[in-house]
Amino acid sequence: MTDAARLPADRPSPAGALQRAFRTVLQRQMRDMPMLNPALSVEAVGFRPWSDHWLGLLITPWFMNLVLMPRVTAKWQAIGERESRHYVFPAGVFEFIGARDAALGDYQACSLFSPMFDFADQREAHDTAVAALDALFDTASREPSQARAPRTGEATTAPAMAAPVLSKRDFLFGVPPRGDRGA
């Protein structure tokens, strides 16, 4: 029996709270900012249990991020704001950055898109978010150069291998890695 099976979730899905919090950010701090795509709104997509956490995607008019939040509080390992932790998914190793919000508490985010001007409308952004979540759990999305390191869901302090860099955008759209690209 896994630890997750023994420990019940003590926090409900954060999807609604994320949407409310980031709608407030949009109305107050981001209002009239030039980096906003006016065709987009705030939407939490596909939140599901993953290990002892909640994992999903947050779409805003200025970014699209994978978001990791506590599901089993006793198992959550917060990291400092702007500090990073790497997680291993079937598709590879992804870096999440620590964040804290007064209403939401601690969470970790992995940026996939920012700014969001490449999206014509909310439907296109939503469909991309769903596809990104599907690809994250598809071993066919893993680069052959990423050897098996830690178990799925296991936090690491560094990526599995120093392989050619694959940007998140290239991961989503299947472009081969080049050593001269940043993530």
Side-chain angles (χ1 to χ4, degrees), residues 55-74:
L55 174 73
L57 249 144
L58 180 63
I59 299 168
T60 72
W62 63 100
F63 70 72
M64 182 186 298
N65 288 352
L66 285 167
V67 176
L68 200 58
M69 294 186 77
R71 186 175 66 85
V72 178
T73 306

Side-chain angles (χ1 to χ4, degrees), residues 99-178:
R100 176 139 184 66
D101 178 85
L104 299 171
D106 291 315
Y107 65 96
Q108 297 168 22
C110 175
S111 177
L112 296 183
F113 295 95
S114 182
M116 296 289 286
F117 296 119
D118 290 341
F119 297 96
D121 55 33
Q122 189 70 25
R123 183 70 186 171
E124 184 180 347
H126 176 91
D127 290 349
T128 300
V130 170
L133 282 171
D134 289 346
L136 189 65
F137 290 99
D138 184 356
T139 56
S141 300
R142 180 185 285 271
E143 283 300 309
S145 61
Q146 284 192 351
R148 164 62 189 101
R151 290 188 311 258
T152 299
E154 184 175 17
T156 65
T157 55
M161 294 182 68
V165 175
L166 179 68
S167 75
K168 292 174 205 98
R169 188 170 295 204
D170 290 349
F171 157 74
L172 287 170
F173 298 108
V175 176
R178 289 190 346 220

Side-chain angles (χ1 to χ4, degrees), residues 20-39:
R20 285 187 299 278
F22 278 87
R23 283 181 183 140
T24 299
V25 170
L26 176 60
Q27 293 165 356
R28 293 183 183 162
Q29 292 99 323
M30 298 301 291
R31 188 180 187 147
D32 300 323
M33 291 291 201
M35 78 280 293
L36 298 179
N37 179 339

